Amino acid sequence: MLVRAALTSFRRGQTLAAQPVSATVDVSLRHLTTYSSVCGFGLRDALPLTYPHVLGFPSQMKLMTGAGFPFPLPGLVHIANRITQSRPLTLDEPLEITVTARDLRPHPQGTQVDVVTSVSGVWEGVSTYLRRTGSGPSSGEELERPVGSAVWRVPADIGRRYGAVSGDRNPIHLYPLSAKLFGFKRAIAHGMWTKARCVASLEGRLPEAVTVDVKFKKPLLIPGRVEFSAVEKDGWEFAVWGKGPHLLGSAA
């Protein structure tokens, strides 16, 4: 898969014609247990809200490395993720997964697209990816640092551990040397690990039918020390901050 991803470096597409990819997946208790441990979830019959994302990852990669997806994968930036479920999925049900791509559109710094993972008609994850082709203005929003409610010490191996359980072994997450090849001072945590860790911190306080929406900001260099904050206000508003914001999110 890494070789296929590397070969997409030669793409220069301008249109979106990727065909949907479908799969049926049975949940492995061993895999679920490992994922829950890496992300901080308790083990129960209902699947963690973010877990179907990793179950759909092979199909996501198949779509994004296949014909019709316009962007090269190297350099593609995951800038946002929104998950909506109408009910929790459970450990014992087979999951019907379909991945599509939609809404190719401009961004101030390039072009963005949504990769949508749908599971059994009750769970949907929308990952927004940015292909940078310019240095346009950022959002310009003034962000006030929230009061932290917990301190997280993010270990140096979290990228390798999450990469092993998610299948996302992008070199920027694994080792300092491999990350430096792509312009980072050291390895960075996966955005979806950071989101999962936030949801795990709110476990038991979110409704069963819920939408959790996040924007990924500054890369979280690992090892690192960050503050997690969560405020209940028409749902939940939460954030992860270091020297600046790494993630801003809401759940309702």
Side-chain angles (χ1 to χ4, degrees):
M1 188 64 73
L2 287 173
V3 172
R4 291 181 62 185
L7 291 175
T8 66
S9 300
F10 302 101
R11 285 179 176 163
R12 295 295 184 269
Q14 301 294 325
T15 59
L16 180 62
Q19 296 300 307
V21 176
S22 297
T24 300
V25 177
D26 291 316
V27 177
S28 159
L29 179 58
R30 180 177 180 180
H31 185 262
L32 174 61
T33 301
T34 304
Y35 176 87
S36 298
S37 175
V38 169
C39 298
F41 290 101
L43 190 61
R44 48 180 51 88
D45 185 55
L47 302 182
L49 179 73
T50 51
Y51 183 60
H53 176 84
V54 302
L55 296 180
F57 185 74
S59 296
Q60 296 160 20
M61 287 297 293
K62 185 175 181 179
L63 179 141
M64 295 170 74
T65 58
F69 192 79
F71 299 145
L73 268 63
L76 202 60
V77 183
H78 194 183
I79 60 173
N81 177 269
R82 183 179 70 252
I83 293 174
T84 301
Q85 72 173 20
S86 57
R87 67 162 176 84
L89 295 162
T90 59
L91 175 62
D92 59 352
E93 62 181 303
L95 305 179
E96 300 294 333
I97 296 175
T98 301
V99 178
T100 57
R102 69 189 186 198
D103 201 10
L104 190 67
R105 61 199 186 276
H107 183 278
Q109 297 176 348
T111 308
Q112 57 191 331
V113 67
D114 292 336
V115 175
V116 183
T117 304
S118 301
V119 183
S120 299
V122 300
W123 187 99
E124 181 182 80
V126 181
S127 290
T128 301
Y129 292 94
L130 168 65
R131 170 62 174 170
R132 285 199 177 105
T133 54
S135 56
S138 61
S139 63
E141 57 186 332
E142 293 292 333
L143 300 176
E144 181 178 351
R145 186 186 186 100
V147 177
S149 55
V151 174
W152 296 347
R153 296 190 180 277
V154 185
D157 67 347
I158 197 63
R160 296 190 293 275
R161 291 171 59 204
Y162 185 80
V165 76
S166 69
D168 184 356
R169 294 182 175 88
N170 188 322
I172 64 175
H173 302 302
L174 303 181
Y175 298 97
L177 180 59
S178 60
K180 285 179 181 179
L181 295 174
F182 293 88
F184 295 96
K185 293 182 179 179
R186 55 185 190 268
I188 64 174
H190 294 75
M192 287 304 296
W193 173 84
T194 311
K195 178 174 183 175
R197 185 70 181 82
C198 291
V199 174
S201 296
L202 296 171
E203 197 169 26
R205 292 182 281 178
L206 299 179
E208 291 190 344
V210 67
T211 295
V212 179
D213 199 358
V214 304
K215 294 181 180 178
F216 302 116
K217 298 295 186 178
K218 296 178 181 294
L220 200 173
L221 297 172
I222 50 177
R225 178 185 180 277
V226 296
E227 293 182 357
F228 170 73
S229 66
V231 177
E232 193 171 10
K233 182 180 179 182
D234 296 327
W236 288 90
E237 294 181 358
F238 57 92
V240 176
W241 282 67
K243 292 182 178 180
H246 298 296
L247 177 150
L248 303 175
S250 63

